[in-house]
Amino acid sequence: MTAAAPPPDFQQDRILALVLAGTVSLPSTPPATGDLFLTRDPEPIPDLTAFGVLPTPYFIKIVQVVSPLCVVTRTLALKDLRAVTIPDPEEAGREQPRRVTLPLARIVGHIEKLARDLGDEVEHLLFEKAVIHVPEGAQVLVRVDSYFGVTAAEAAQHLIPPGKTCCH
């Protein structure tokens, strides 16, 4: 008696489980999502290969609009991207499309094409309403744009929380 081959989806699920192990979702806490951009560093990249550092001209940036008054932008190296969760392209136009998680291997062609098409542009939209999956230790630059009203007396004070410093 021969064993039945696992269904193709089973293999995909196993691969995805391995890809997602040890990762963090950004933005986290569903249903939070953001627009994912491929960004090229506009500055010339020095050759640091002698120091074991490979040049990384590409970054990814995910922009989460929490509200019209609060936008969180997270920027990190493209090399840290493991997978992306997006609305299922096959269900485009539906009010609540199913979400699919694509390992980097499934979207690398899309990323390479956009990188070639960037030309003089510094960034280009990869996916809308995305969630990225990156290693827990990935370095992330976080920028929070928050608009709120305060009194003139409060505005005269330093609004950075105690113990945090701006530039040092």
Side-chain angles (χ1 to χ4, degrees):
M1 180 180 256
T2 59
D9 288 350
F10 179 71
Q11 189 69 14
Q12 294 270 0
D13 290 345
R14 289 175 58 183
I15 292 169
L16 190 56
L18 286 171
V19 167
L20 294 179
T23 65
V24 174
S25 303
L26 297 175
S28 59
T29 316
T33 64
D35 289 343
L36 181 61
F37 295 87
L38 177 66
T39 303
R40 182 176 39 85
D41 189 342
E43 298 295 321
I45 297 171
D47 183 8
L48 300 176
T49 51
F51 302 101
V53 178
L54 294 175
T56 340
Y58 295 102
F59 297 91
I60 53 174
K61 177 173 82 172
I62 190 155
V63 180
Q64 174 190 10
V65 178
V66 178
S67 77
L69 299 177
C70 183
V71 177
V72 181
T73 303
R74 296 170 177 92
T75 304
L76 58 155
L78 176 60
K79 69 179 180 59
D80 289 325
L81 182 64
R82 298 295 181 266
V84 178
T85 300
I86 59 172
D88 189 340
E90 293 178 9
E91 296 188 9
R94 289 190 61 191
E95 189 172 318
Q96 294 292 329
R98 180 175 63 101
R99 297 188 63 76
V100 294
T101 300
L102 305 171
L104 182 58
R106 296 249 330 258
I107 59 171
V108 73
H110 180 60
I111 293 171
E112 287 175 338
K113 181 183 179 317
L114 282 177
R116 283 192 306 271
D117 293 347
L118 269 176
D120 291 337
E121 291 180 67
V122 174
E123 68 182 29
H124 194 46
L125 180 67
L126 275 171
F127 298 106
E128 293 178 331
K129 299 179 183 172
V131 174
I132 60 173
H133 306 274
V134 299
E136 293 177 3
Q139 296 177 341
V140 181
L141 175 65
V142 179
R143 175 180 167 178
V144 179
D145 292 309
S146 185
Y147 303 92
F148 52 92
V150 296
T151 65
E154 290 171 313
Q157 296 176 356
H158 207 329
L159 294 176
I160 296 175
K164 302 287 183 185
T165 58
C166 173
C167 305
H168 42 253

